[in-house]
Amino acid sequence: EFVWQGSKSLGLSAQIFTGVFLQHYNPPDGFKFETDSDAIPLQDDLHLFDYNVQDRVDAFVEAAQDQETYFRTNHIMFTMGDDFTYQNAWSWYREMDRFIHYVNLDGRVNTFYSTPSMYTDAKFAANESWPLKTDDFFPYADEANAYWTGYFTSRPALKGYVRMLSGYYLAARQLEVLVGRNSSGKTTDALGEALALLQHHDAVAGTEKQHVADDYAKRLAVGAKEAEEVVNSALTCMTSLKSTSRCRTSLNIFEQCPLLNISYCPPSESYISANKRLVIVVYNPIGWNRTDFVRIPVDIKSVVVTSADGEIVASQIVPLSNATERVRNFYVQANLGISPRTTPIGWLIFKVSVPPFGFSSYFVSTVTRDSASESSFEFPSGNGVLVAGSGNLKLTFSVETGQLTRMSNHRTGIDIPVHQSYMWYAADNGSDGQASGAYIFRPSGEDPIPFVQKVPLAIIRGPLLDEVHQMFSPWVYQVTRVYKDKEHTETEFTIGPIPSSDSIGKNVITRMTTNILSNGTFYTDSNGRDFLQRVRNHRSDWNLEVTEPVAGNYYPLNLGIYIKDSEVELSVLVDRPIGGSSIADGELELMLHRCLLKDDNKGVGEPLCETVCAGLKCEGLTVRGTYFTSINHVNEGSRWRRFVGQQIYSPLLLAFTSQDAGESWQSSHTSTFQTMSHEYALPENVALITLQELDDKSVLLRLAHLFEINEDLELSTVASVDLQKLFTDQKIGNVTELNLSANQEKSTMRTPLKWQIEGSDINQVKQPLKGRPFDPSQLLVELGPMEIRTFLVNFFR
């Protein structure tokens, strides 16, 4: 047992008392009282031959005394339960009642029903000094060849769906607050409940049976459909009114495109004609002014994009790849039960600017001549190089191999060799009893198998971006986008169906190799918050015996991973939870997809190799996702990771409608809107992570500081947020600060226990940098590094 301080930024306030169970979280051997267990019941009837009170009491006391040798103080805990137990609670409580009675009569051990809080209080009262742990428990293994690092990537499509809908849910709840929660119609509750269910450790983890995963996805889809109606209704209200007063409407004029990532968007494909123009309302769920690019499929080249003030917006047409067309045709049929009638001619890409917690409107119309710039194709051949990027960021590719060789930023002067490729680890088939499966990542060797050395290469150039297309195999396709106005790459991968006819399970990775002298060290995020240092083949708490040099160095990535040396940082951010590592100095690798043909005997009970059916045709799952890469001077990458990380989690929300070509949207609708005062935006180091109207019309608000202590010279400081400026059209009545879970007023919370730490004086510990106590009369919230604060806000109605 020890004190665990999970964040260096939060200091003592992040300390919790915890420990490792002696053996799993089950009772001592012989004291599992399930109806089908082989535990010997306590028999206290003297008239029966199997009377055994003293024998059973002795066994109980022996188990207690044995456990005591592993723990400090004379307080120990028996965890009386396990997975799949209490199918008959009476059998448990009958035995426990008897043991408590007879063990206490014996007198050697005092036994009673307890709770975790009572146990913790008893430990604290002992005035003991405890070890301090500041890292985490990853990666975990319960046997020498059983590292539980496969589930970091298992079911990557479900993980991506959860991540996408989590960001959508945040935006939908914001809009629900702005127009008022519907007490009788659709709400965001169904989506919230489905997302909550998916947080189960065998849900988003990807360690459930296939039919259970299907049920989870269905619940998410039902919730998303209801939330979509909430969003469409809210935007209909907000665009149709000149004021921002709360409104109700039974008419929804907007549509959305949940399958936009595979180029399926009926409004953008059908609403642009000589008689109609497409109206796109772009909502920004982030509290900063935001400039980004929108991509929509269109079926006509001669189009022009205009903003709400009538200005022509630069745009570019990029043709659809064959991989996108294949995925589109199959997965529209699989998801909607229909086949697309046509194929778009390409993606229309244009730049948008959107205010914080607000929207901007854009219009796409036909013109007699091509206004959107068409892209030029290049299919290079020979032995030279190809350079992508018309802005500061440049990528250099070898024409001979078709692979990336260098990455440079002309603004910062960074220029490093980067080789990026795809490989797969063959899954161990478990001939010794431990196979690779949904939980376990166990490659059959340390070296992954590369795809072809010669990669077909093409580049599409245009005024807004360059796209580099690479086919690493018939089932691995990659598009790398380099926007003129961005200093990072956006890499879209399409992987699948993973072939299994060779009877070999596969763990598919992408690997980046550089000359960065990382010295066995890399950094991964902890639930998207703190970044933790990882050292290859090392654990700070004990001497590690390396039995799985690859799987034993994999870690979960929710936000990203980076390596650095004395000069340069290479950072990668992800759009969903996956596993990643740095297996050799200067390298980063991400596991993107898995297909395993054996069960790993950890509880799923079936292999993990997902299939999808469209009509009568079934095939292995294809996954499409995106990761983002940046190079920076050492200790300057944190801003990019934090700012772009927020944009990845909270993408722009797009809603579509149409209007007759001769009408003016601006004369009958609100074209731009923002919640906050026009001169105000959230500080760069603060994010709004919850804005939710509750049933009693009060509003739950959470604000989070995005930076760790000492992460950035300017932004790892206390930030201040003016609550009244967040809500310009509503006057705040009162504000109450709550605990993080929002189920208790902070003023009524019990004072946290201050634990004695081995080798330190608690009175000499430096206090964390935190915001001052909230003053309701001032409506100013201060946040220190990594601090999250929760409030209940009531408005004057």
Side-chain angles (χ1 to χ4, degrees), residues 342-453:
T342 60
T343 299
I345 59 99
W347 296 97
L348 172 66
I349 303 171
F350 58 95
K351 193 174 185 178
V352 298
S353 180
V354 196
F357 304 132
F359 62 75
S360 297
S361 301
Y362 290 85
F363 311 91
V364 184
S365 311
T366 58
V367 289
T368 54
R369 55 180 176 76
D370 292 350
S371 179
S373 299
E374 283 196 57
S375 305
S376 63
F377 272 95
E378 292 181 29
F379 297 93
S381 60
N383 299 316
V385 297
L386 181 151
V387 179
S390 58
N392 288 324
L393 186 68
K394 308 287 185 184
L395 300 183
T396 302
F397 294 81
S398 164
V399 174
E400 182 179 5
T401 65
Q403 298 188 12
L404 178 68
T405 60
R406 299 196 75 83
M407 190 172 184
S408 61
N409 186 318
H410 287 189
R411 181 184 63 82
T412 62
I414 298 174
D415 184 356
I416 62 171
V418 180
H419 178 266
Q420 184 255 339
S421 59
Y422 283 85
M423 308 174 181
W424 54 275
Y425 288 105
D428 195 288
N429 63 11
S431 58
D432 63 355
Q434 183 55 67
S436 194
Y439 289 98
I440 305 302
F441 171 37
R442 188 187 180 192
S444 61
E446 295 183 26
D447 297 322
I449 299 168
F451 289 99
V452 294
Q453 297 300 315

Side-chain angles (χ1 to χ4, degrees), residues 63-312:
Q65 291 173 337
D66 176 65
Q67 183 167 324
E68 183 189 18
T69 63
Y70 295 92
F71 292 84
R72 303 184 187 200
T73 83
N74 61 346
H75 301 283
I76 62 169
M77 170 172 52
F78 280 179
T79 49
M80 301 303 294
D82 204 340
D83 297 337
F84 313 115
T85 55
Y86 286 84
Q87 297 174 70
N88 182 351
W90 178 81
S91 70
W92 281 88
Y93 284 103
R94 177 190 63 183
E95 290 299 309
M96 288 190 290
D97 286 347
R98 289 177 174 177
F99 272 99
I100 289 172
H101 174 72
Y102 287 110
V103 169
N104 288 338
L105 283 180
D106 176 82
R108 286 175 288 172
V109 174
N110 182 32
T111 306
F112 53 93
Y113 289 116
S114 185
T115 65
S117 61
M118 292 170 61
Y119 178 76
T120 302
D121 286 341
K123 289 285 188 174
F124 182 76
N127 201 30
E128 179 75 46
S129 291
W130 302 93
L132 180 69
K133 183 176 177 64
T134 56
D135 55 358
D136 59 18
F137 293 88
F138 290 119
Y140 164 77
D142 63 340
E143 296 178 69
N145 301 116
Y147 275 91
W148 295 43
T149 54
Y151 78 86
F152 299 159
T153 298
S154 295
R155 301 195 187 278
L158 183 64
K159 284 177 164 68
Y161 198 30
V162 171
R163 176 63 58 84
M164 180 187 77
L165 290 179
S166 295
Y168 185 78
Y169 179 53
L170 185 148
R173 289 195 302 185
Q174 291 177 7
L175 292 168
E176 196 172 37
V177 168
L178 296 179
V179 299
R181 182 178 168 85
N182 195 332
S183 59
S184 58
K186 302 294 185 183
T187 69
T188 59
D189 288 354
L191 179 55
E193 290 164 1
L195 286 168
L197 182 64
L198 264 292
Q199 299 313 302
H200 184 275
H201 65 259
D202 280 320
V204 69
T207 51
E208 62 277 83
K209 291 181 182 293
Q210 185 60 54
H211 72 275
V212 179
D214 294 340
D215 182 71
Y216 285 145
K218 184 174 183 178
R219 291 172 186 270
L220 288 170
V222 170
K225 186 65 177 176
E226 293 191 15
E228 188 177 319
E229 293 184 37
V230 172
V231 169
N232 290 340
S233 176
L235 291 176
T236 298
C237 284
M238 295 169 69
T239 56
S240 63
L241 298 174
K242 291 299 182 183
S243 68
T244 58
S245 58
R246 299 157 76 87
C247 68
R248 289 283 178 269
T249 178
S250 59
L251 176 65
N252 287 338
I253 64 171
F254 287 101
E255 298 178 57
Q256 294 169 64
C257 298
L259 299 181
L260 186 60
N261 72 317
I262 59 170
S263 79
Y264 185 71
C265 184
S268 71
E269 297 174 50
S270 60
Y271 285 174
I272 307 170
S273 67
N275 300 319
K276 287 189 177 294
R277 65 174 180 168
L278 177 69
V279 181
I280 308 170
V281 173
V282 184
Y283 178 73
N284 173 20
I286 291 178
W288 316 314
N289 288 296
R290 186 168 178 182
T291 300
D292 210 337
F293 292 88
V294 166
R295 296 165 47 86
I296 58 173
V298 293
D299 61 0
I300 185 171
K301 292 182 180 179
S302 302
V303 295
V304 62
V305 181
T306 55
S307 61
D309 57 11
E311 295 292 323
I312 293 178

